[in-house]
């Protein structure tokens, strides 16, 4: 009988788990690998968590009810950074350690955000579609060094975007409830201001907050209303940072020029979501982390984080 029974439910890791199976079995682990499309919900987990010692998870819904039922559960190792899908109070109360991987995907996410801004500034997608339709039309654009970027939350991903924006000559504003890194601020010429002033001044607003009770729907009717007319809202962090109904209204009314979204309030995004039919909305399927090299590093770190806790106990 194996010493540890471990659940692998991180959807990016599952296709590659056979690479790591010999290592895990050598560490006396019995593997439970489940089929996952996007995440496991509470009811999915309740049926399998009872005798599991450790988990490498994605955005699975580890509610208090699930954690309470995990009588052997010792560690939840997040494949990635965000742990908002885990009831952290319940985990602490039941002695379950939570491990994650800070800075896991800052570089590919930074590239994605910069790419979206370039698409809006240079109107790359619109011009391509016009050419495909047989048109020969010259659309007005602008250079990024003529624009102001506002970053709400200057964490690792926020810094990755700031570095790229500075290289393009953008004016970079940022707001954060945490004291920023003074050396970084100075090196990349970031201006720290209030969130309210940032929203009023920025041509592009990039949300980079962790999802928690203070940031849930931080972009709503009131805050979106503060944004400049013609500004663009970008979210590659967590979907519930934006109240989607308020965003849709601002886009329909012409208050915002557009939006770029990798994440949504509910995922997968509903087929009938109005966002899907808006030509000024760029979208992806929660995939801004796409980078095989980064994935490989996170596979190993997530597994080792889980094993470190199990073996130390």
């Amino acid at each position: 009988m194996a010493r540890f029974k471990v659940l692998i439910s991180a959807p990016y890791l599952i296709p590659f788990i056979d690479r790591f199976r010999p290592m895990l079995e050598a560490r006396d682990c019995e593997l439970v690998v489940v089929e996952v499309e996007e995440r496991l919900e509470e009811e999915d987990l309740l049926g399998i968590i009872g005798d599991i010692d450790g988990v490498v998870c994605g955005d699975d819904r580890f509610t208090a009810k699930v954690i309470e039922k995990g009588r052997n559960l010792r560690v939840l190792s997040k494949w990635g950074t965000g742990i908002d899908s885990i009831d952290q109070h319940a985990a602490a109360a039941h002695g379950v350690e939570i491990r994650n991987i800070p800075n896991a995907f800052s570089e590919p996410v930074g590239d994605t955000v910069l790419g979206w801004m370039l698409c809006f500034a240079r109107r790359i997608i619109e011009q391509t579609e016009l050419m495909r339709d047989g048109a020969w039309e010259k659309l007005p654009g602008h250079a990024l060094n003529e624009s102001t970027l506002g970053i709400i939350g200057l964490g690792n991903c926020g810094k990755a975007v700031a570095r790229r924006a500075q290289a393009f000559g953008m004016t970079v504003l940022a707001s954060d409830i945490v004291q920023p890194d003074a050396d970084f601020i100075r090196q990349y010429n970031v201006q720290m201001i209030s969130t309210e002033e940032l929203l009023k001044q920025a041509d592009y607003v990039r949300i980079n907050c962790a999802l928690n009770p203070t940031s849930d729907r931080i972009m709503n009717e009131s805050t979106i209303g503060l944004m400049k007319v013609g500004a663009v809202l970008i979210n590659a962090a967590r979907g519930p940072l934006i109240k989607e109904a308020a965003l849709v209204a601002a886009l329909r009314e012409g208050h915002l020029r557009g939006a770029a979204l990798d994440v949504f309030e509910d995922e997968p995004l509903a087929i009938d979501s109005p966002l899907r039919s808006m030509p000024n909305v760029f979208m992806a399927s929660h995939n801004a982390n796409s980078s095989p090299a980064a994935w490989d590093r996170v596979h190993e770190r997530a597994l080792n984080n889980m094993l470190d806790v199990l073996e130390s106990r």
Side-chain angles (χ1 to χ4, degrees), residues 245-280:
L247 173 60
V248 168
L251 291 166
R252 284 176 170 164
E253 294 162 5
H255 180 80
L256 296 185
R257 177 185 174 190
L261 307 168
D262 184 59
V263 290
F264 304 90
E265 278 186 317
D266 295 303
E267 297 178 359
L269 181 65
I271 295 297
D272 61 352
S273 168
L275 293 168
R276 287 185 181 268
S277 60
M278 292 182 165
N280 57 342

